[in-house]
Amino acid sequence: MKNHDDSLNHAMIEFYEKLSSWEMAVVKDKGFSLPQVHTVEILGLNGPMRMKELAQKIGITTGTLTVQVDKMVDAGLVIRTPHANDRRSILVELTDSGRSMFEEHDKLHMQLTQDLTVKFTESERIQLLDFFERINREF
């Protein structure tokens, strides 16, 4: 068991490093930072979000997010709107340009997923999905 734990640990780290390098290469030429692209991804998947919720989802402080969102507003990727039911809250949502970036980036992720799992059977793909979902619940 100990040997498998060690191997699993190293395999997970290697996967993370390769995925991070791929992500950096994809984002590098777009003129946006990786945190900005991740913010677009989260908003694309979840829709408009309160600043506090978005900061928690990304794992940064609201102060850091505010600076990032300011730059993204200037770049035309997001807009801030007042929350309909809570006057103290501000929602961040994608603009059409931000939505286009999300869709383009999401297609790249889908292609990577297909490329990495092309030799997997359907049941292996389902099992891998189950493993990722279980791992993600532990975070």
Side-chain angles (χ1 to χ4, degrees):
M1 184 69 174
K2 179 72 174 133
N3 189 26
H4 288 107
D5 285 349
D6 213 32
S7 297
L8 180 59
N9 177 45
H10 292 287
M12 285 180 71
I13 291 168
E14 182 180 352
F15 176 74
Y16 170 78
E17 294 297 337
K18 287 179 176 179
L19 185 62
S20 295
S21 294
W22 177 87
E23 191 82 38
M24 288 294 287
V26 165
V27 170
K28 185 178 67 172
D29 299 329
K30 301 293 181 198
F32 298 105
S33 70
L34 200 50
Q36 288 173 331
V37 173
H38 286 162
T39 301
V40 166
E41 283 180 297
I42 290 168
L43 291 171
L45 292 171
N46 296 283
M49 295 179 76
R50 288 182 169 105
M51 290 285 285
K52 185 176 180 181
E53 295 169 323
L54 185 54
Q56 287 171 338
K57 198 102 167 141
I58 299 170
I60 60 176
T61 66
T62 53
T64 300
L65 180 62
T66 298
V67 172
Q68 186 171 298
V69 168
D70 286 344
K71 291 178 183 172
M72 294 175 73
V73 167
D74 292 343
L77 295 175
V78 299
I79 56 169
R80 289 183 174 101
T81 57
H83 192 284
N85 304 325
D86 182 358
R87 291 184 310 159
R88 295 169 298 154
S89 289
I90 298 293
L91 290 176
V92 180
E93 63 182 288
L94 294 177
T95 61
D96 289 344
S97 178
R99 167 93 14 222
S100 293
M101 178 196 266
F102 166 72
E103 289 168 0
E104 178 185 338
H105 198 74
D106 198 49
K107 283 180 188 169
L108 293 172
H109 277 267
M110 182 59 77
Q111 187 61 55
L112 178 66
T113 300
Q114 290 170 347
D115 291 348
L116 293 177
T117 62
V118 70
K119 295 179 182 173
F120 289 26
T121 65
E122 187 61 23
S123 64
E124 287 173 327
R125 291 166 67 91
I126 291 168
Q127 189 175 23
L128 182 61
L129 173 61
D130 178 58
F131 289 151
F132 274 124
E133 287 175 342
R134 287 164 53 190
I135 287 170
N136 286 334
R137 280 194 298 269
E138 293 300 318
F139 269 101

